[in-house]
Amino acid sequence: RTLSPMEKKYPAIAGKEKGPGPGRYGLPPTIGFVGHDFTKPTSPAYSFHGRISNNMLSLDSSPGPLYHVDAKITRFGKDGTPAYSMLSRMKTQKLFSTPGPGTYSPEKAPPSNLQRRQPSYTMGRRTRYRTVDPVPAPNKYSLPPLLGSHIPNKRASASYSMLGTFSTGGPSEDLAKTPGPCRYNSTDPSVYRPRQPAFSMLGRHDVPKDKTKKPGPGTYNPENVTAHKTRAPAYSMGVRHSEFVTPLVVGFSD
């Protein structure tokens, strides 16, 4: 606009010319691959594939788990261990019908080798014991024990016995009245060796207190300042100063 002759013209202040803020500048991003800042190293970037259409899912493009892989097939080929199977019973051939042991009847055979009849055997009963010579059983004998020194014709080892407790003159009765280890007093090592530093813990000291009464904050009345002054102090809010005013420099030292 044009200035009127009555208006005062002030010089332009460079500080009032505000430039654009940090958000006005568009730096290249450091994330991703497209438009990446070429001054920064680029890391591997991965992308998510788009959703497959439903038509592709409905198509049967793979056979699925229809193939049966035999357990004998390995990555080196077929397993070479011998395998055996149990076959059914073979049919009996009439050409080779061998009779079993129960087919024969040797008792019906006629006498041979000039014998009147075929040999026969029977199982006899238990014979009775004879009362003339009753032989004792093994448990009837009792051998003498080998423990102790009562067998004259056997070597005996040393045998010991445990006697009873003596009431008079035994170890349990102290006739000499000998004092035990607890009767002796132990000597302080500081008596016959260099004394070590000793410390003691004193009792708790009472905090020194001033027993005079002090007034609290509520005792004071700052509103009664007019008793010795003309009026209470008052404060006002001043004008806003320009941030472009040159400060007053009175003097400075080199």
Side-chain angles (χ1 to χ4, degrees):
R1 67 186 179 86
T2 58
L3 299 175
S4 62
M6 298 300 294
E7 292 182 0
K8 187 177 181 180
K9 186 178 181 181
Y10 294 97
I13 300 175
K16 290 184 177 181
E17 301 295 334
K18 300 294 184 180
R24 294 296 300 274
Y25 298 96
L27 298 177
T30 57
I31 299 176
F33 183 76
V34 180
H36 191 275
D37 190 0
F38 62 89
T39 61
K40 303 294 183 180
T42 306
S43 300
Y46 306 94
S47 62
F48 286 92
H49 198 275
R51 183 185 294 274
I52 303 176
S53 62
N54 296 330
N55 296 331
M56 297 185 64
L57 295 176
S58 61
L59 296 178
D60 190 7
S61 57
S62 61
L66 300 178
Y67 299 100
H68 173 68
V69 181
D70 193 1
K72 298 180 181 179
I73 302 300
T74 62
R75 61 190 183 96
F76 300 105
K78 189 175 181 181
D79 190 7
T81 55
Y84 304 95
S85 63
M86 185 178 294
L87 300 178
S88 60
R89 185 185 297 274
M90 298 178 61
K91 296 181 179 180
T92 306
Q93 298 181 4
K94 297 181 179 181
L95 298 178
F96 303 97
S97 54
T98 306
T103 310
Y104 300 98
S105 300
E107 66 278 0
K108 297 180 181 180
S112 61
N113 298 331
L114 302 178
Q115 296 182 359
R116 296 182 179 180
R117 58 186 178 85
Q118 51 272 21
S120 58
Y121 303 96
T122 59
M123 183 178 294
R125 58 183 180 179
R126 185 187 299 275
T127 57
R128 297 180 179 180
Y129 292 105
R130 293 183 300 180
T131 57
V132 180
D133 48 354
V135 181
N139 57 354
K140 292 293 184 178
Y141 300 96
S142 59
L143 298 177
L146 300 179
L147 298 178
S149 57
H150 303 286
I151 303 174
N153 58 346
K154 299 293 183 181
R155 296 185 58 183
S157 301
S159 58
Y160 305 95
S161 60
M162 184 177 295
L163 299 179
T165 303
F166 294 98
S167 60
T168 304
S172 60
E173 185 179 1
D174 190 7
L175 300 178
K177 302 298 180 181
T178 306
C182 298
R183 295 295 299 275
Y184 299 96
N185 299 326
S186 60
T187 307
D188 189 6
S190 301
V191 177
Y192 56 90
R193 295 183 64 85
R195 185 176 181 181
Q196 300 295 330
F199 305 96
S200 61
M201 184 178 295
L202 300 179
R204 186 186 296 274
H205 297 281
D206 295 335
V207 180
K209 299 180 181 179
D210 189 4
K211 298 183 179 180
T212 58
K213 295 183 178 181
K214 274 76 174 179
T219 309
Y220 301 97
N221 297 319
E223 64 275 3
N224 298 333
V225 71
T226 56
H228 62 284
K229 287 189 177 183
T230 305
R231 60 185 179 85
Y235 304 94
S236 62
M237 186 176 295
V239 299
R240 183 185 297 274
H241 298 278
S242 177
E243 57 181 343
F244 306 106
V245 176
T246 304
L248 178 61
V249 180
V250 179
F252 57 90
S253 57
D254 295 338

